[in-house]
Each structure stands twice: as structure tokens, then as C-alpha cells.
């Protein structure tokens, strides 16, 4: 199928719940084929900060939540050192599905291509526009 982009999967109503539901059915790039599930984003609407990582990792793919694995622990420590509560941050990733290479029983992180990142860009655009209107 290739990287047709997520634009056609965007909902008519731009809200976090509507975007989350629509992203769960996105086939805008081939990453959805091997991933366990879509890892959308997490946090409260109107959070003071929005952090965007590269892509979900193995644990994020299995749990369906961003920044719950090793990178999440690093983020939590960094936020704590900066005096920022996790609840003040909305976290998401540029790519919504875990890209990996199987090696035995392990799934090794693979960097998403520019085409895969661009395919997922529509998920960030409306959210960022929605975010700034809050």
C-alpha cells in the first residue's frame, strides 16, 4: 500500500476523543500491519506542555500508551528534575505505530522513514491547531 498518508482517516470533528478513535483505524502507512495497536497520545486537554517523541517502543505498542517503557522512565525523571508534573504534559509520538525488526523473540526498534513520519503528520496538525485554540 505504501505511505498514502493519514489525511483521509481524520475525523470531521476535531477533538482528542474523535482523533484517538479515528487513529485506531488508520492505514495511512504500512506500519499498522505489524504493530499490535495504535499508540495515540495521552494527557489532559489543555496540558501546559506537549512533547512529541519519534515513535512508540515495544512496551508502548503492547500497552497502547506512550512513554511507558524505558524512554518513559527517562522522561519521568527529567520532568521530576525540571519540577514539571507528568499531568501537566500531553505526550505523543510523530509515528503512531511501532516499527521494528524481529530478532528471535525480541522486537528491535527501527527508525521510521521520512515517508512514514510524513504519513502520520496529519495526526499532529489538527491536534496542534486544536491545542492552540484552548
Amino acid at each position: 500500500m505504501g505511505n498514502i498518508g493519514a489525511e483521509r482517516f481524520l475525523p470531521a470533528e476535531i477533538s482528542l476523543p474523535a482523533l484517538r478513535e479515528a487513529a485506531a483505524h488508520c492505514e495511512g502507512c504500512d506500519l499498522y500491519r505489524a504493530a499490535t495497536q495504535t499508540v495515540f497520545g495521552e494527557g489532559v486537554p489543555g496540558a501546559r506542555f506537549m512533547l512529541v517523541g519519534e515513535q512508540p517502543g515495544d512496551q508502548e505498542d503492547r500497552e497502547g500508551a506512550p512513554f511507558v517503557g524505558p524512554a518513559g522512565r527517562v522522561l519521568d525523571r527529567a520532568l521530576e528534575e525540571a519540577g514539571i508534573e507528568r499531568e501537566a504534559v500531553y505526550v505523543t509520538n510523530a509515528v503512531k505505530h511501532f516499527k521494528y525488526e524481529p530478532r528471535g523473540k525480541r522486537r528491535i526498534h527501527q527508525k521510521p522513514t521520512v515517508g512514514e513520519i510524513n504519513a502520520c503528520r496529519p495526526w499532529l496538525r489538527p491536534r496542534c491547531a486544536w491545542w492552540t485554540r484552548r
Side-chain angles (χ1 to χ4, degrees):
M1 179 185 212
N3 298 321
I4 61 171
E7 195 76 37
R8 67 183 68 186
F9 299 95
L10 291 177
E13 172 199 346
I14 301 298
S15 68
L16 282 177
L19 287 166
R20 180 184 311 280
E21 175 61 28
H25 306 288
C26 185
E27 297 178 1
C29 73
D30 288 335
L31 294 183
Y32 80 93
R33 295 179 188 275
T36 304
Q37 60 191 310
T38 301
V39 179
F40 185 68
E42 195 168 80
V44 296
R48 187 166 181 201
F49 303 100
M50 184 162 111
L51 299 177
V52 182
E54 178 186 64
Q55 73 163 332
D58 182 66
Q59 284 184 263
E60 288 79 5
D61 179 57
R62 295 178 193 280
E63 292 185 36
F67 292 93
V68 294
R73 289 189 289 281
V74 171
L75 174 61
D76 288 342
R77 280 194 304 275
L79 290 172
E80 184 178 336
E81 288 176 18
I84 300 170
E85 294 183 30
R86 176 81 182 240
E87 294 74 33
V89 180
Y90 185 88
V91 293
T92 191
N93 288 291
V95 173
K96 305 302 181 226
H97 293 102
F98 178 43
K99 182 176 183 177
Y100 63 92
E101 176 182 303
R103 288 202 195 141
K105 293 182 180 183
R106 298 192 63 200
R107 303 185 312 166
I108 306 301
H109 170 276
Q110 296 294 300
K111 194 175 190 100
T113 66
V114 170
E116 292 160 344
I117 292 169
N118 286 337
C120 276
R121 185 169 290 162
W123 296 117
L124 289 176
R125 261 193 318 252
R127 196 169 32 212
C128 290
W130 176 82
W131 205 267
T132 58
R133 288 193 305 253
R134 288 271 173 231

